Amino acid sequence: MNKQNLLIKPENEAKIDKLISEMTIDEKIGQLNQVGPSALGAFEITLEEQKALLKAGRITKEEYEKIFSGQKWDNEEENVAAGKIGSFLAIRHPEKINRLQKVAMEESRLGIPLLIGLDVVHGMNTIFPIPLAEACSWDVDVYKESARISAKEARTHGINWTFAPMVDVGRDSRWGRVAEGAGEDTYLTSKFAAAKVEGFQGDDLSNSERVVACAKHFAAYGAAIAGRDYNSADISLQTLWETYLPPFKAASDAGVASFMTAFNDINGVPCSNNKYLLTDVLRDNFGFKGLVVSDAGSIGECLAHGNVADRKDAARKSFNAGAEVDMVSRCFVDYIKELIDEGDITLEQLDNAVRNILRVKFALNLFENPYVDLSLRETVCLCDEHRAAARDAARRSAVLLENDGVLPIKNKKKIVVLGELADMADEMLGTWAALGRGDEGVSLVQGLKNRGVDFTYSACYGVETPLDREAFDTAIKGADLVIATLGELRRMSGEASSYADIALQGDQIEVVKLLKESGIPFVSVLFNGRPMPIPEVKENSNAVLEAWHLGTEAGNAICDILFGDYNPSARLTTTFPNKTGECPIYYNHVPTGRPRGEIRHSCKHLDVPLDPLYPFGYGLSYTEYAYSDLSVELKDGKVYATFNVKNIGDVAGEETVQLYIHDVLASRVRPVRELKGFKKVLLNAGETKSVTMEVDINELGFYSMNMEYVVEKGDFELFIGHDSTTDLKAVFTV
Ligand code: BGC
């Protein structure tokens, strides 16, 4: 069901029309204007490029000073009172927010409240795992619950709009922003998108514990060439529609009330003035009824892209394409009036944009209730319930990659913990951690103390700190078990954090080799925001736990796994390469005429193994599962797969069952496998369950060369199992 229509409430529509009829043109344009803490970021281009624009007369001296100098938007309150600002970005002080709302309500002519936006991506005060980690839980209830809690905490600070979820498919781990999305798969990202929207917004935005969500970055931002942030996406329309758009459609269907344009261009047209995307796809095809915001400064940045002549042209093109709220570039507020006078933009268009913005403000019930109760923060944020949820989400997100039986830890006399990351609660918060604070979080060292574990700790090396060999040798002397922490600092993933080499930095690989030489069993615990090529860690460690950046409760959650209180159930949602040079690498590639194989003239790199280091969907637990008796049946437009899954180990566990399909013969070559379903199944030791999963036949299609969505008749293979390499297969014919 498409929930966009829920945004349209007849009782509000009448009020919106009345308000619009009373607004001046300037007041209407004010609604389109979003102001940030500074204009910095509006144009992150070099000084030379800025000067060149000035020299070419494409910006005025005044604009140059105002926009590029990074100075604050002056006189915020005065401008709110004058109706020149419709929303703010990244104000974190509830007192200030109340003050601004009061000015908007009482001093502006029409008393229109403000939208206050912030990137509440994976938590406000209580920080949950970064999205890439949380996605590994393959659990939509976890996705939803962390968003619900984040929204509740955000509202206690006066934030009513989050710039999340990011639903960009990320296939190239050089791109630092893979940390912010659900991974490389379109189907999983679509489920993640819908669950996040439901968690942030709930059923009714007028509930004062919910926030407006924002599907971003529209679109194909993750297709940046070479994984370099902000780079162009040069992709076919088929890839756009098959791989990158479905999660946005899922967010729209789930009722998301805002969309954000992406920084990149697609095939030469910047997303922020891309009419095809912002109008034809979003409004006409998806039926989206909320508001469209640009990314920070991205309307003005079209000058740097080079498809607009000046800032006025930037305003004209972006507005006409379908952008409505201008995040910090100020092009709209500076030029829309002139453009209307000159007939480039009509009043009707302006009214439509204002209507979409006011619709969101009414949906939030801000006209009745614009203020935040300052006393709520104390009891709501970081309360026991939220911490418990963050701990549970974290332990469901950490992926066990290797284990020779050393885990769960039992009867170890001398445990030694190594590495700076073990004692850095702040680093566990990951990218975009809103108001999360390290001193409110739990590091691994703290988690061990909380459990009363007897251990010794030596920092002795870090991500960027060279190995102190003497301290290392002293620390490991007489140890029964070492826990070595490895990975990346939080600033190494997220926005503007792309790397050409994503291997472990500094002396970390050296540490792994020395530990292997020592003969002492060791567990590697990885903290990172992207899949990393870690063959040395895989080969040498007795166990490897991919702990990502797990948030506030990281240390407690990791201990739950290390000591067996929780049986790991997470699975990778991105392929781990053997080397950076394999990126982009993803499981659902299409077959070539020379499939990867031992023979020289096959599609492969000569300097890495044929298989990725870890495949999509992979992950271990403290038990094992066996699958059998797969049968498929076609009925009423659906295919039903029925099979048995058995826990063949001696502890209870939760299996993440995965269903893949492959269209065997098609007019366009189809991926070797495509995820089309997943399910968490709880099984006691020795227990067998019969499971049935269904896939709608309509979901088996693709876009033809003429861009028609088709489900072609013929044979399909259906795979069921533990990860994307499963060979339990059945064939059905459509
Ligand atoms: C990012 C967006 C973010 C915005 C506002 C931009 O730089 O690309 O993801 O929502 O800033 O903070």
Side-chain angles (χ1 to χ4, degrees):
M1 181 190 127
N2 185 338
K3 290 196 186 161
Q4 281 299 322
N5 284 331
L6 298 180
L7 266 177
I8 304 197
K9 297 202 168 126
E11 66 276 20
N12 290 348
E13 294 296 300
K15 291 184 201 157
I16 293 168
D17 285 339
K18 179 163 178 295
L19 197 50
I20 290 178
S21 73
E22 290 165 1
M23 292 170 86
T24 63
I25 291 192
D26 285 327
E27 283 165 341
K28 289 175 186 172
I29 294 170
Q31 288 302 307
L32 316 181
N33 188 27
Q34 179 169 113
V35 172
S38 82
L40 190 68
F43 286 82
E44 293 207 350
I45 58 177
T46 66
L47 212 60
E48 275 60 47
E49 286 166 328
Q50 296 171 20
K51 283 185 186 151
L53 286 174
L54 183 64
K55 205 165 154 207
R58 292 173 65 195
I59 51 166
T60 64
K61 182 125 206 314
E62 197 197 356
E63 282 172 339
Y64 173 77
E65 272 155 18
K66 190 159 118 194
I67 304 300
F68 294 130
S69 61
Q71 66 189 231
K72 270 171 41 134
W73 173 281
D74 301 322
N75 312 324
E76 278 160 354
E77 292 188 17
E78 218 173 90
N79 282 307
V80 170
K84 288 187 180 165
I85 299 177
S87 56
F88 280 91
L89 154 74
I91 306 179
R92 293 179 174 80
H93 308 289
E95 292 81 3
K96 180 172 175 181
I97 291 170
N98 270 350
R99 209 167 58 237
L100 290 168
Q101 292 287 27
K102 192 163 187 312
V103 174
M105 296 305 289
E106 294 178 8
E107 293 177 36
S108 78
R109 200 175 66 90
L110 294 168
I112 304 176
L114 299 159
L115 287 173
I116 310 285
L118 182 72
D119 297 86
V120 183
V121 173
H122 56 113
M124 183 69 179
N125 298 78
T126 308
I127 304 301
F128 287 80
I130 54 166
L132 180 62
E134 200 191 54
C136 294
S137 71
W138 296 62
D139 192 329
V140 288
D141 294 334
V142 172
Y143 304 159
K144 216 159 136 173
E145 180 66 354
S146 59
R148 183 190 70 79
I149 290 173
S150 306
K152 187 171 175 183
E153 291 193 352
R155 277 310 280 268
T156 71
H157 291 265
I159 304 298
N160 48 40
W161 184 10
T162 179
F163 302 121
M166 184 186 103
V167 299
D168 303 318
V169 168
R171 293 170 152 189
D172 190 334
S173 301
R174 292 172 295 182
W175 188 50
R177 300 197 84 166
V178 292
E180 298 174 51
E184 74 189 31
D185 185 68
T186 301
Y187 178 88
L188 188 79
T189 305
S190 302
K191 298 291 170 205
F192 179 87
K196 285 290 172 197
V197 170
E198 284 161 19
F200 283 127
Q201 296 193 167
D203 293 332
D204 183 0
L205 272 173
S206 69
N207 179 332
S208 63
E209 296 184 354
R210 302 298 189 164
V211 294
V212 165
C214 182
K216 71 183 189 184
H217 307 84
F218 195 55
Y221 185 32
I225 294 169
R228 226 163 57 223
D229 207 3
Y230 316 118
N231 207 1
S232 296
D234 195 353
I235 54 176
S236 67
L237 276 182
Q238 284 82 1
T239 299
L240 179 68
W241 278 87
E242 288 168 11
T243 303
Y244 292 99
L245 291 184
F248 288 99
K249 172 79 163 61
S252 179
D253 287 351
V256 76
S258 71
F259 258 67
M260 185 187 289
T261 69
F263 283 125
N264 56 287
D265 73 271
I266 301 178
N267 306 340
V269 183
C271 294
S272 295
N273 62 28
N274 193 319
K275 189 160 190 293
Y276 171 70
L277 272 183
L278 304 184
T279 299
D280 302 358
V281 175
L282 186 55
R283 299 289 182 190
D284 300 345
N285 187 291
F286 291 3
F288 175 68
K289 304 276 194 282
L291 69 83
V292 177
V293 61
S294 75
D295 202 345
S298 67
I299 291 175
E301 286 172 19
C302 292
L303 262 94
H305 277 288
N307 84 333
V308 298
D310 50 29
R311 293 183 65 245
K312 183 170 162 185
D313 198 25
R316 184 179 65 81
K317 250 193 157 158
S318 286
F319 189 82
N320 280 330
E324 293 159 339
V325 175
D326 173 357
M327 187 188 276
V328 310
S329 91
R330 300 186 200 164
C331 293
F332 283 5
V333 77
D334 286 350
Y335 291 108
I336 293 232
K337 198 166 181 191
E338 266 179 50
L339 289 163
I340 289 177
D341 289 345
E342 291 163 13
D344 276 334
I345 289 174
T346 65
L347 266 177
E348 193 192 346
Q349 278 178 285
L350 180 63
D351 286 355
N352 285 340
V354 172
R355 184 173 290 109
N356 291 338
I357 296 163
L358 292 179
R359 192 175 277 151
V360 171
K361 293 187 176 185
F362 271 101
L364 278 165
N365 201 26
L366 288 182
F367 286 84
E368 300 298 320
N369 187 15
Y371 305 113
V372 50
D373 173 350
L374 297 176
S375 71
L376 283 175
R377 251 149 53 218
E378 191 79 1
T379 48
V380 170
C381 299
L382 281 162
C383 64
D384 291 350
E385 181 209 336
H386 294 184
R387 278 187 177 274
R391 179 171 180 163
D392 191 47
R395 57 193 203 167
R396 289 175 185 279
S397 304
V399 187
L400 185 64
L401 297 176
E402 300 291 332
N403 186 18
D404 68 359
V406 70
L407 293 181
I409 300 170
K410 288 175 240 91
N411 311 322
K412 292 288 176 207
K413 283 196 269 324
K414 187 166 183 218
I415 297 176
V416 174
V417 179
L418 299 181
E420 288 177 351
L421 280 172
D423 199 21
M424 293 172 122
D426 187 54
E427 290 300 328
M428 302 299 106
L429 303 180
T431 184
W432 290 116
L435 299 190
R437 282 172 32 184
D439 61 357
E440 291 166 342
V442 183
S443 68
L444 175 56
V445 163
Q446 188 57 46
L448 290 161
K449 285 184 189 160
N450 293 348
R451 261 191 100 82
V453 176
D454 192 10
F455 70 102
T456 55
Y457 170 60
S458 168
C460 73
Y461 67 92
V463 177
E464 292 174 332
T465 310
L467 172 66
D468 176 341
R469 186 63 201 269
E470 213 180 302
F472 172 87
D473 289 341
T474 313
I476 65 169
K477 205 163 279 164
D480 288 324
L481 179 76
V482 170
I483 300 173
T485 56
L486 305 165
E488 296 180 310
L489 300 172
R490 54 188 286 214
R491 66 172 149 78
M492 293 176 170
S493 61
E495 187 174 357
S497 304
S498 295
Y499 281 86
D501 181 357
I502 55 172
L504 285 171
Q505 297 190 15
D507 291 336
Q508 299 186 89
I509 294 173
E510 174 70 7
V511 168
V512 169
K513 289 183 176 160
L514 288 172
L515 283 170
K516 178 71 179 177
E517 275 168 29
S518 76
I520 302 165
F522 72 102
V523 180
S524 294
V525 179
L526 284 157
F527 299 112
N528 45 318
R530 57 159 57 77
M532 301 183 89
I534 42 159
E536 302 84 355
V537 180
K538 173 179 174 165
E539 277 152 31
N540 294 317
S541 313
N542 297 79
V544 181
L545 182 67
E546 174 51 86
W548 309 109
H549 294 138
L550 287 180
T552 304
E553 287 288 321
N556 287 334
I558 293 165
C559 287
D560 288 344
I561 292 176
L562 294 181
F563 293 90
D565 291 353
Y566 182 76
N567 185 3
S569 64
R571 304 279 183 268
L572 298 178
T573 63
T574 26
T575 305
F576 273 48
N578 299 285
K579 268 192 187 189
T580 307
E582 286 173 284
C583 295
I585 179 171
Y586 45 93
Y587 82 98
N588 51 357
H589 58 86
V590 295
T592 67
R594 296 273 179 102
R596 207 190 322 252
E598 292 300 338
I599 57 162
R600 177 156 185 136
H601 293 87
S602 69
C603 180
K604 65 178 181 219
H605 294 111
L606 290 175
D607 53 350
V608 288
L610 290 177
D611 292 326
L613 193 70
Y614 295 111
F616 178 84
Y618 172 85
L620 304 175
S621 76
Y622 295 148
T623 183
E624 277 184 71
Y625 307 95
Y627 288 80
S628 62
D629 303 307
L630 171 62
S631 64
V632 289
E633 187 191 1
L634 253 91
K635 213 171 60 189
D636 306 329
K638 288 190 174 152
V639 52
Y640 294 85
T642 302
F643 52 91
N644 288 333
V645 52
K646 180 174 186 189
N647 180 344
I648 54 172
D650 45 21
V651 286
E654 194 174 24
E655 170 66 326
T656 305
V657 178
Q658 301 165 36
L659 183 157
Y660 298 87
I661 61 119
H662 170 57
D663 186 346
V664 179
L665 177 65
S667 56
R668 276 186 59 234
V669 292
R670 304 306 305 141
V672 288
R673 284 182 187 195
E674 284 179 276
L675 184 73
K676 289 291 176 193
F678 60 89
K679 199 169 196 155
K680 303 291 276 193
V681 182
L682 264 172
L683 291 161
N684 288 322
E687 191 184 3
T688 302
K689 276 189 184 161
S690 169
V691 178
T692 298
M693 292 169 76
E694 59 180 66
V695 184
D696 199 309
I697 299 293
N698 287 323
E699 287 185 38
L700 303 179
F702 59 91
Y703 287 86
S704 71
M705 286 309 288
N706 302 326
M707 286 305 294
E708 277 154 356
Y709 185 79
V710 287
V711 181
E712 289 183 348
K713 295 196 181 334
D715 285 353
F716 286 79
E717 293 172 333
L718 182 148
F719 300 87
I720 290 285
H722 184 81
D723 62 41
S724 61
T725 65
T726 173
D727 50 19
L728 181 63
K729 177 173 93 174
V731 176
F732 64 94
T733 309
V734 170

